[in-house]
Amino acid sequence: MGLFSRHHDDDYVSPFDVDDSPAYISIDSQTSQVDEPAYQQPKIARSENTQTENARFKTTQSKSDRKPGGATKRQRRSWVAVIAIIVFALGSNLVAHIISAGGSSDSDDSSYSFKSPSQGNKPTRVKTGETTSFGNRKATVTIAKATTGPTDYDGHKTVIITYHWKNTGDANTTFGELAMDLQVYQSGIGLNKTYLYSRGGSSIEGYKTQSDDIKIAKGEESDATIAYQLNDATGDLYVVANQATRYHEGIVSAFKAPTSGTQYEQVQPDDIAPAPKATEVEKRKMKRISSYSGDALVSIDDVTTAPDDYQGRHTIIVTITWVNQSETNEPLSNAAKLTVTQDGSQLEMNYYTEPPLPQGYENMSFSRSVQPGVLAKATVSYVVEDPGQPVTVRLSSTYGGNDMVTKKMTPRKVE
């Protein structure tokens, strides 16, 4: 008896019987099973392949139910259904892989991160390498130079990284559409991206706003300039450009801070000091949070009062010390979910939009990438009804594990 036959000796009905199904199954019809916010980025890849995939699986119905020596219409439909299910499963893995490149934010929501088994021994190229992204987008990318930039809106000193690239694919594209994961580190701590604006109408030397949105044709070359907030004006830089769709492969470079002028000296990655690791004494004071994307050692250190926000609401700042215990560069948000409550009610997160920022506070530090073994601090602000009453701070695994650190504290008053 055939695998997909509807009738069985024991009256069992096969789950693969698809007599009432359409002649073909469109892969696009399956997309509702993927969360829409996480799925927005991969739509680029799927939309370009939809017609090809539909054409591949579409079955032309014959006038008769059976041809001599051929399969029945029911069998053909059954095989189409099975093949479509297999392709969708493979497609789901591709979606998960692509989603991994998306950035995370200071949020109570989990941050998804795909971890390739080969990440521990990821192949890297120094300064220049090939990259392949969605569809037929391809490019040769060079981490070209680093230049001191002007102070940004928040009052941070900045550095401008220039990525020179050549479009080697078939489609007109932008540097931004290559969807590379671009990170710059100082002493193992990731730098926040920022935007620079000219003052008095004068342009900023070596920097062009939205240069990663300039579309070029096959064979053409361009520069993309991206600014980062420096943690240390005299610190060396370690620059990483990982591929989004195969992000265990990357391009790396290093720069020594200038002793004079604005130009950083480009050097081999091994020519700068390695990021300092947390000591065993420091780690013993922390508790492990285990997660699929990487483990972290965490300690809830402090809760302090902070300036009222622009709506006049009271705010507090939670300070966390942590160590990246994974084998790859990760933000704390990949391992731990942060929740703060007062009198049983979950507090709303707050962002400071006007400089100067409160002393010791760093925007987006909960979601900035940190190199393995490095000790880092994360500060997150919340709106609170009564800053004189205790709050409960909880860090838990982003993937439903039992690891949890909880601390109840009355915000320490800071003038």
Side-chain angles (χ1 to χ4, degrees):
M1 182 175 294
L3 174 62
F4 299 105
S5 175
R6 181 180 185 87
H7 298 291
H8 303 262
D9 294 338
D10 56 359
D11 293 326
Y12 171 75
V13 178
S14 170
F16 292 100
D17 185 270
V18 287
D19 264 5
D20 297 327
S21 67
Y24 74 98
I25 297 176
S26 170
I27 294 178
D28 282 350
S29 67
Q30 307 288 347
T31 60
S32 62
Q33 299 182 27
V34 182
D35 291 341
E36 184 63 24
Y39 185 67
Q40 288 173 354
Q41 187 179 16
K43 279 183 179 176
I44 301 173
R46 293 180 67 91
S47 62
E48 292 180 352
N49 296 325
T50 298
Q51 292 181 351
T52 302
E53 299 296 343
N54 285 349
R56 186 180 300 169
F57 298 113
K58 190 168 183 179
T59 304
T60 304
Q61 294 186 2
S62 61
K63 292 183 180 180
S64 62
D65 199 36
R66 178 185 296 271
K67 290 183 180 180
T72 65
K73 178 170 66 176
R74 176 184 306 159
Q75 289 170 326
R76 289 196 302 272
R77 290 175 178 174
S78 301
W79 279 111
V80 169
V82 172
I83 294 172
I85 291 169
I86 294 171
V87 171
F88 174 67
L90 293 173
S92 297
N93 287 334
L94 176 60
V95 168
H97 198 166
I98 295 173
I99 290 173
S100 70
S104 55
S105 61
D106 286 354
S107 170
D108 285 343
D109 296 332
S110 300
S111 299
Y112 183 85
S113 176
F114 176 86
K115 188 171 183 180
S116 167
S118 62
Q119 269 186 307
N121 299 309
K122 68 177 183 180
T124 57
R125 298 168 178 85
V126 176
K127 190 176 179 180
T128 301
E130 299 289 332
T131 182
T132 302
S133 191
F134 307 117
N136 56 352
R137 295 177 176 86
K138 297 180 181 180
T140 301
V141 176
T142 297
I143 303 171
K145 61 181 179 179
T147 310
T148 300
T151 302
D152 70 359
Y153 178 78
D154 288 336
H156 287 91
K157 293 182 178 180
T158 66
V159 63
I160 300 168
I161 304 295
T162 300
Y163 303 89
H164 183 78
W165 66 289
K166 180 179 180 179
N167 184 0
T168 57
D170 296 326
N172 296 346
T173 190
T174 69
F175 186 73
E177 287 174 330
L178 295 175
M180 299 193 73
D181 175 35
L182 308 174
Q183 301 287 345
V184 180
Y185 297 89
Q186 280 190 312
S187 300
I189 307 295
L191 305 185
N192 290 331
K193 291 182 182 179
T194 187
Y195 292 92
L196 304 177
Y197 301 95
S198 59
R199 296 176 176 88
S202 60
S203 61
I204 299 172
E205 184 178 357
Y207 178 78
K208 187 173 183 178
T209 305
Q210 297 180 330
S211 56
D212 56 345
D213 287 336
I214 298 174
K215 185 164 288 190
I216 64 174
K218 179 179 180 179
E220 292 184 351
E221 300 182 34
S222 184
D223 284 340
T225 54
I226 299 177
Y228 298 83
Q229 295 176 339
L230 288 169
N231 293 335
D232 177 2
T234 61
D236 297 337
L237 306 176
Y238 183 77
V239 184
V240 180
N242 285 328
Q243 296 193 47
T245 53
R246 296 184 300 174
Y247 88 106
H248 53 284
E249 299 181 7
I251 306 164
V252 299
S253 189
F255 296 88
K256 284 187 174 292
T259 55
S260 62
T262 61
Q263 190 74 34
Y264 281 69
E265 178 190 359
Q266 191 164 24
V267 296
Q268 294 292 318
D270 291 340
D271 290 340
I272 63 173
K277 306 293 185 180
T279 66
E280 292 303 316
V281 173
E282 290 170 326
K283 291 192 286 187
R284 279 199 294 268
K285 300 175 183 178
M286 303 180 186
K287 183 174 180 180
R288 182 180 295 272
I289 298 286
S290 297
S291 181
Y292 174 76
S293 62
D295 295 354
L297 295 176
V298 300
S299 171
I300 300 169
D301 292 344
D302 203 3
V303 179
T304 60
T305 60
D308 292 351
D309 69 2
Y310 71 99
Q311 299 182 51
R313 299 179 299 179
H314 303 307
T315 69
I316 58 173
I317 296 174
V318 177
T319 300
I320 298 161
T321 300
W322 74 287
V323 177
N324 178 6
Q325 289 293 98
S326 71
E327 297 178 355
T328 59
N329 305 329
E330 298 281 359
L332 178 55
S333 57
N334 276 8
K337 177 180 178 180
L338 175 63
T339 308
V340 181
T341 59
Q342 187 176 62
D343 294 330
S345 298
Q346 188 166 317
L347 301 184
E348 174 188 343
M349 207 171 315
N350 170 67
Y351 296 90
Y352 300 105
T353 58
E354 295 292 333
L357 299 178
Q359 187 173 2
Y361 174 81
E362 295 182 74
N363 270 323
M364 308 303 292
S365 53
F366 190 78
S367 58
R368 69 183 173 191
S369 185
V370 172
Q371 292 182 331
V374 172
L375 182 75
K377 283 192 178 292
T379 53
V380 188
S381 176
Y382 287 88
V383 176
V384 65
E385 187 69 27
D386 185 352
Q389 295 300 314
V391 297
T392 300
V393 181
R394 184 176 74 242
L395 285 165
S396 56
S397 172
T398 55
Y399 292 95
N402 295 324
D403 295 344
M404 184 179 297
V405 178
T406 302
K407 200 167 188 179
K408 190 172 184 178
M409 307 173 71
T410 299
R412 181 171 58 85
K413 191 172 182 179
V414 176
E415 297 297 338

